[in-house]
Amino acid sequence: MSRRAAVLGHPISHSKSPALHAAAYAKLGVDIEYSAIDVTVDSLPSFMASLHGDDSWCGLSVTMPLKSAMVQEVDEIRGAGAHLGVINTVVFEYDGGLVRRVGYNTDVGGIVEAVRYAGVVSTPHAAILGGGGTAAAAVAAVQELGARQVDVFVRDAGRAGDAEAAAAAVGIAVTVRPLTEAATAVAGTDLVISTFPPRAGDSLADELSSLPGTGAGVLLDVAYDPWPSRLAEVWQGHGGAVVPGLEMLMYQAAEQIRRFSGCDVDAAVIDVMCDSVGLPRRVF
């Protein structure tokens, strides 16, 4: 029987996840049909209810704005997601006639692997732009990378709850700061992770462009359409290194593929995933 998996989010037509997953499953020789489904926060409960009784499903990828809402739709959360309260992966586990929906957060590992591949071994201080579900994963990721303190820049301090909760959960000091302070602050930071949606960082980029080049550190911009983002262009122009959001997406997808298929994702699979979205093949 063909199995099914999908990425859920709103909007979702821009997602590169179907290309990544399809390439991997073809290389692995497993029969999993992967699609993109537009689901809003309000429609998520009814969508999840519609899956009851359909044992063809093996997994769901979860993107904005559903990462917090999906927590209420699973039976159990394992790994980083359990203490972050934010998940981006649902695995369907079958035992006889029973199904258990298990949530995970593969964004944390995706961020860590993408940044490490760019050459960042560790960082004592980091900055995060945005305060939502992806920012929560970014907080956990920079803690894993050795950061002892993180600044979170948001337009509205009331929207930093996910990031603050994540910092408390992983034991890292966090300072929530207004976005109006970000330009001068991040210019001298070793590692900056932008969790803004596409184009939301353009005004910050314009502010940065007016500052003198400072030999900026590493920027991971999770937005990847359009690419390069205005923020990435300015950052690179200031002498900094840029990690495309596609790198994070590819690495977090690799862990999803392992869990959905039960197969090992080796270097050959990673290479075809890179090919599918225009990333360079890995050099290890």
Side-chain angles (χ1 to χ4, degrees), residues 7-267:
V7 57
L8 312 181
H10 177 75
I12 201 62
S13 60
H14 68 286
S15 177
K16 302 290 188 183
S17 291
L20 288 163
H21 281 254
Y25 299 137
K27 183 68 174 179
L28 290 167
V30 296
D31 188 6
I32 296 177
E33 177 189 338
Y34 188 98
S35 59
I37 304 175
D38 196 297
V39 178
T40 65
V41 171
D42 289 342
S43 64
L44 180 62
S46 60
F47 174 81
M48 295 300 288
S50 75
L51 305 187
H52 283 295
D54 185 347
D55 61 2
S56 66
W57 287 91
C58 61
L60 298 171
S61 308
V62 183
T63 189
M64 294 188 291
L66 306 177
K67 293 180 182 182
S68 297
M70 185 60 86
V71 169
Q72 306 303 318
E73 304 297 330
V74 297
D75 302 305
E76 179 186 354
I77 302 175
R78 298 176 191 160
H83 56 258
L84 294 181
V86 177
I87 59 176
N88 74 319
T89 305
V90 179
V91 178
F92 294 76
E93 295 186 355
Y94 296 93
D95 184 6
L98 300 176
V99 60
R100 190 163 186 80
R101 298 172 177 184
V102 182
Y104 295 90
N105 191 310
T106 67
D107 280 341
V108 177
I111 292 169
V112 170
E113 291 300 319
V115 171
R116 282 182 174 160
Y117 186 73
V120 177
V121 177
S122 65
T123 181
H125 179 239
I128 295 169
L129 306 176
T134 305
V139 167
V142 299
Q143 190 272 340
E144 191 171 324
L145 288 163
R148 298 180 297 276
Q149 201 273 332
V150 60
D151 292 330
V152 175
F153 293 90
V154 289
R155 289 185 175 85
D156 177 1
R159 291 189 161 187
D162 285 343
E164 290 179 298
V170 301
I172 185 174
V174 61
T175 303
V176 177
R177 302 174 61 179
L179 190 60
T180 52
E181 298 178 0
T184 53
V186 302
T189 302
D190 295 333
L191 174 63
V192 177
I193 300 174
S194 171
T195 67
F196 288 150
R199 300 184 178 86
D202 287 1
S203 59
L204 173 60
D206 291 340
E207 289 184 63
L208 279 170
S209 67
S210 67
L211 298 176
T214 56
V218 174
L219 168 72
L220 166 60
D221 188 344
V222 303
Y224 55 81
D225 184 19
W227 188 261
S229 65
R230 171 70 175 145
L231 186 59
E233 286 181 327
V234 171
W235 193 267
Q236 202 159 36
H238 278 199
V242 172
V243 182
L246 275 179
E247 293 277 345
M248 170 197 167
L249 186 73
M250 188 274 293
Y251 281 117
Q252 66 82 28
E255 181 58 28
Q256 291 180 338
I257 290 159
R258 290 186 188 98
R259 296 192 181 279
F260 295 173
S261 69
C263 299
D264 181 41
V265 177
D266 59 15

